[in-house]
Amino acid sequence: MKKKIIVTGGTGYIGSHTLIELIKNGEFEPIAVDSCVRSTPETIQRVEAITGVRVKHYQVDICDKNAFFNVFELEKEVVGIIHFAAFKCVPESVEKPLMYYHNNLQSLENVLEACEKFQLQYLIFSSSASIYGDVKELPVTENTPVGIPFCPYAHTKQIGEQMIHFFTQQHPHLQSVILRYFNPVGNDMSGLNGELSPDKPNNLMPIVTQVGIGKMKQLTVFGTDYDTRDGSCIRDYIHVCDIADAHVKALLFLENQKNTSRCETFNLGSGNGVSVLEMIDAFEKVNGIKLNYVLGERRPGDVPAIYSDSTRANQLLGWECRYGINEMVESAWKWEKHLAQEH
Ligand code: NAD
Ligand code: WQD
């Protein structure tokens, strides 16, 4: 029998790609729990079309403890939770801090209570490279000190990690993995599932594809006078399917008792820094289109460069990136064109 895994945020960007990877692996039955506050239930149909497998989805707010616990009453024998559900927009978190503290922390508290009440074995938590803040030394390893939080969003991830550390110390039945993602981009290579970005996205890749398709007029490169190889900022972009795959590997790692502590932390990045101008160049070359962009001022709060040392995940999880920058820009563009055809 397949092992049941609750995937909170399962209709979101990374959650839906993780449903696909879990199904492809074959050992697990993922069950999505997502209120769709930042997504749509139709995503489940996309996942089903890609995998050919029916996926259960409970449209529930995880901050509503009774409704969330009811899922476990209905779904007997759940063994673990992958907890993606959260708000993730940095500027929005600065504008509405309490909304972020409430949603990201109340949901996690309920997830941990569910782990206790239903005696779950595994928890995987979505953390973020944003917890490192303005790093002094590159590449970033898991031992790089956590920085001063630069926004409420990053702060919720720092607090979340600590909550899991303290909780697992008191709950020997639960083994956990914290995954710190760098910059997830790209979509399913089929072009049939992908990120549903807001109308005014903040992140580079959805802006690139929206400018490409004509939804947005122009892309501004935020800063070309940084001390980097071409003056623009450097980030560690990683294909979303590789991020998703790491969650399957993390579950197997716990299942095979390869962990040496009850709470293990891994960076998830490609290990390669790519500049904004290099990303634009790759997008234009791979997809054969010209992007309308201008060189502009620095964006406040941006660090010049950050990229990961992912050796720990490579060695202990047996995980490696399968996709590079070309697949990232190709799949991002494929999905944007698919969305344009749908509407
Ligand atoms: P997303 O917004 O696409 O997905 C999050 C999902 O959670 C959405 O479908 C939303 O409807 C759901 N959700 C939010 N609050 C909920 C609640 N209270 N109850 C039920 N459902 C709720 O975001 P994503 O990019 O897939 O991010 C997933 C996780 O990864 C988040 O925790 C995010 O902080 C983290 N993360 C994302 C990135 C990134 O750049 N995408 C980077 C680092 C970490
Ligand atoms: C990437 C680069 C911009 C838009 C954020 C969060 C982080 C994580 C991922 C959740 C930067 C440049 C962007 C534009 C540009 N999310 N850029 N023009 O800021 O590295 O990370 O998302 O955990 O926590 O902080 O990602 O995609 O916004 O920017 O030149 O119109 O693209 O300056 O160098 P960022 P991003």
Side-chain angles (χ1 to χ4, degrees):
M1 214 169 77
K2 293 189 197 298
K3 299 189 181 90
K4 288 185 186 177
I5 302 289
I6 295 289
V7 180
T8 77
T11 53
Y13 173 43
I14 307 175
S16 61
H17 287 91
T18 301
L19 295 178
I20 296 169
E21 292 295 335
L22 286 164
I23 292 167
K24 279 188 188 160
N25 168 271
E27 234 186 88
F28 304 99
E29 180 192 346
I31 297 163
V33 180
D34 195 312
S35 62
C36 296
V37 59
R38 293 284 156 102
S39 55
T40 157
E42 285 161 29
T43 299
I44 294 297
Q45 288 154 32
R46 301 187 201 281
V47 171
E48 291 176 344
I50 291 168
T51 60
V53 170
R54 290 299 301 270
V55 178
K56 284 189 204 161
H57 169 214
Y58 292 88
Q59 198 162 341
V60 160
D61 180 349
I62 289 140
C63 293
D64 178 347
K65 190 160 80 179
N66 290 336
F68 183 47
F69 281 12
N70 192 38
V71 173
F72 295 85
E73 305 288 355
L74 294 169
E75 295 292 340
K76 302 281 179 228
E77 292 167 13
V78 170
V79 297
I81 303 182
I82 304 181
H83 181 44
F84 290 107
F87 292 148
K88 63 164 180 182
C89 176
V90 169
E92 184 185 49
S93 81
V94 173
E95 277 167 35
K96 300 176 183 167
L98 293 188
M99 189 175 104
Y100 270 68
Y101 286 111
H102 172 72
N103 193 54
N104 293 5
L105 297 180
Q106 185 63 59
S107 58
L108 178 59
E109 189 184 320
N110 290 349
V111 162
L112 293 175
E113 263 199 59
C115 289
E116 180 171 32
K117 186 170 163 71
F118 302 100
Q119 289 290 296
L120 305 190
Q121 293 168 258
Y122 313 122
L123 171 66
I124 317 287
F125 177 65
S126 299
S127 188
S128 160
S130 63
I131 64 145
Y132 291 113
D134 193 359
V135 285
K136 299 282 171 278
E137 267 180 52
L138 292 171
V140 177
T141 74
E142 291 80 359
N143 294 327
T144 298
V146 165
I148 296 165
F150 65 91
C151 66
Y153 166 71
H155 197 202
T156 66
K157 292 297 176 188
Q158 293 181 343
I159 299 169
E161 288 199 7
Q162 289 302 325
M163 285 167 69
I164 296 170
H165 272 284
F166 286 121
F167 183 85
T168 47
Q169 279 172 27
Q170 300 305 320
H171 293 83
H173 59 88
L174 185 70
Q175 314 294 314
S176 65
V177 166
I178 290 170
L179 298 174
R180 295 174 176 163
Y181 320 148
F182 279 65
N183 288 57
V185 294
N187 296 301
D188 191 84
M189 292 305 290
S190 66
L192 300 176
N193 182 50
E195 182 170 18
L196 290 168
S197 334
D199 286 341
K200 287 188 184 145
N202 299 292
N203 294 120
L204 179 63
M205 189 60 98
I207 295 175
V208 162
T209 58
Q210 291 200 13
V211 169
I213 208 87
K215 271 198 234 169
M216 290 177 75
K217 282 206 177 76
Q218 197 175 55
L219 163 72
T220 303
V221 177
F222 292 145
T224 49
D225 58 352
Y226 286 102
D227 184 16
T228 57
R229 52 183 174 264
D230 61 19
S232 66
C233 285
I234 290 183
R235 294 288 180 275
D236 188 341
Y237 299 96
I238 171 164
H239 197 286
V240 68
C241 295
D242 284 329
I243 295 261
D245 178 45
H247 292 74
V248 181
K249 300 264 162 56
L251 274 178
L252 296 172
F253 168 80
L254 295 180
E255 206 183 25
N256 295 327
Q257 298 177 357
K258 297 239 173 91
N259 52 318
T260 48
S261 78
R262 283 190 216 132
C263 183
E264 300 266 4
T265 302
F266 297 95
N267 282 344
L268 291 184
S270 70
N272 295 316
V274 171
S275 76
V276 178
L277 290 170
E278 287 165 351
M279 180 62 102
I280 293 172
D281 187 53
F283 185 86
E284 291 188 327
K285 282 208 176 99
V286 169
N287 297 315
I289 57 162
K290 288 301 287 173
L291 274 179
N292 181 22
Y293 71 91
V294 290
L295 307 181
E297 295 297 309
R298 291 180 178 199
R299 181 173 69 174
D302 270 340
V303 293
I306 182 166
Y307 50 91
S308 151
D309 177 338
S310 298
T311 311
R312 191 162 196 274
N314 297 153
Q315 291 181 346
L316 297 184
L317 298 182
W319 167 83
E320 273 185 9
C321 289
R322 298 161 296 176
Y323 301 113
I325 205 77
N326 288 354
E327 287 92 353
M328 297 180 208
V329 293
E330 183 193 339
S331 58
W333 183 231
K334 233 178 170 178
W335 169 245
E336 191 67 64
K337 284 190 294 184
H338 178 82
L339 277 178
Q341 276 167 2
E342 260 188 359
H343 293 115

